[in-house]
Amino acid sequence: KMDKLQWIQNKMRDREQLLRQCNIWRSFGKKIVFTNGCFDILHYGHLHLVAAAANLGNVLVVGINSDASVKRLKGEDRPINHEQERMFQMASLLCTDAVCLFEEDTPEELIKTIRPDVLVKGGDYTIENIVGADFVQSYGGTVSIIPFVEGYSTSATIASIKKL
C-alpha cells in the first residue's frame, strides 16, 4: 500500500520525467489530456475545470505556472501560494495524474514536449487565443473549452479577504 504523501509527490514531475511518463501512457493507448494555469488559490472554478478536463481522456496532465511566471502575468503581489504548494495541491486531486511546473509565460514548450491528445482551457478563452491549439490540431489532437463557472476567481477571493 503506497503512502498517500508519496502518491501525491509521485505525480509532481519535471519536464523530462513527464515526457517519459507520457510516452509510457501513450504506449498503453492512453488518451492524454493537458490543461494549465496559475491555480494560485484553488476554488470551485478550478476544480470544476480540472474534473471536466479529466473526463475528456484517460490521464490528465496539469501545467502550473512558476512563481516568476505568475508575477509576470498577474503582478508583483502574486502568487499568494508558492509553486511547490500549488503543485502539491493540484497533485492531491484524484482526477490529476501528473503536474509539471513551467517557467515560461505560456505552456507552449511543455505542450510541444508532451504532445497531448486533448488541450483544455476554461471558457474565458476562444480557440484562436489558446496557446498551443494550432500545434495540437496539426497532428490530429483536439482543443476543448470548458464553460466558465461564473462567480469564482482568485482575484475576487483576494478582494473579499482584503475587506475583512
Side-chain angles (χ1 to χ4, degrees):
K1 180 176 177 281
M2 189 185 300
D3 172 273
K4 294 293 186 198
L5 285 171
Q6 194 60 56
W7 175 75
I8 294 165
Q9 285 160 342
N10 285 347
K11 293 185 190 182
M12 298 165 63
R13 309 287 175 102
D14 65 28
R15 206 165 288 203
E16 206 172 287
Q17 294 167 326
L18 180 60
L19 174 59
R20 280 198 304 274
Q21 185 60 60
C22 285
N23 288 337
I24 291 166
W25 284 327
R26 203 168 273 115
S27 75
F28 284 107
K30 301 283 188 194
K31 188 176 189 181
I32 299 169
V33 180
F34 177 86
T35 193
N36 69 280
C38 300
F39 303 110
D40 191 3
I41 297 176
L42 269 188
H43 54 68
Y44 178 78
H46 292 140
L47 301 170
H48 183 273
L49 170 75
V50 171
N55 282 335
L56 299 175
N58 306 112
V59 291
L60 176 63
V61 175
V62 180
I64 306 219
N65 294 72
S66 70
D67 287 350
S69 172
V70 175
K71 273 193 193 323
R72 291 191 301 271
L73 292 168
K74 307 276 186 181
E76 276 306 306
D77 292 342
R78 303 277 299 276
I80 303 297
N81 291 302
H82 297 295
E83 56 195 36
Q84 288 302 315
E85 296 163 16
R86 292 182 287 117
M87 281 185 67
F88 189 88
Q89 287 175 354
M90 191 56 67
S92 297
L93 302 178
L94 285 172
C95 51
T96 61
D97 296 284
V99 299
C100 185
L101 208 60
F102 62 94
E103 295 289 339
E104 305 86 358
D105 288 349
T106 75
E108 189 164 14
E109 290 309 310
L110 185 54
I111 291 166
K112 286 182 172 172
T113 299
I114 67 167
R115 298 175 64 92
D117 300 295
V118 185
L119 175 60
V120 176
K121 285 301 280 181
D124 46 344
Y125 284 82
T126 60
I127 297 253
E128 297 74 43
N129 64 16
I130 294 176
V131 168
D134 290 345
F135 175 72
V136 171
Q137 290 171 324
S138 76
Y139 56 80
T142 58
V143 179
S144 186
I145 296 171
I146 304 295
F148 202 61
V149 180
E150 289 301 321
Y152 297 94
S153 79
T154 298
S155 301
T157 302
I158 292 168
S160 71
I161 290 169
K162 283 181 174 176
K163 286 181 195 163
L164 297 176

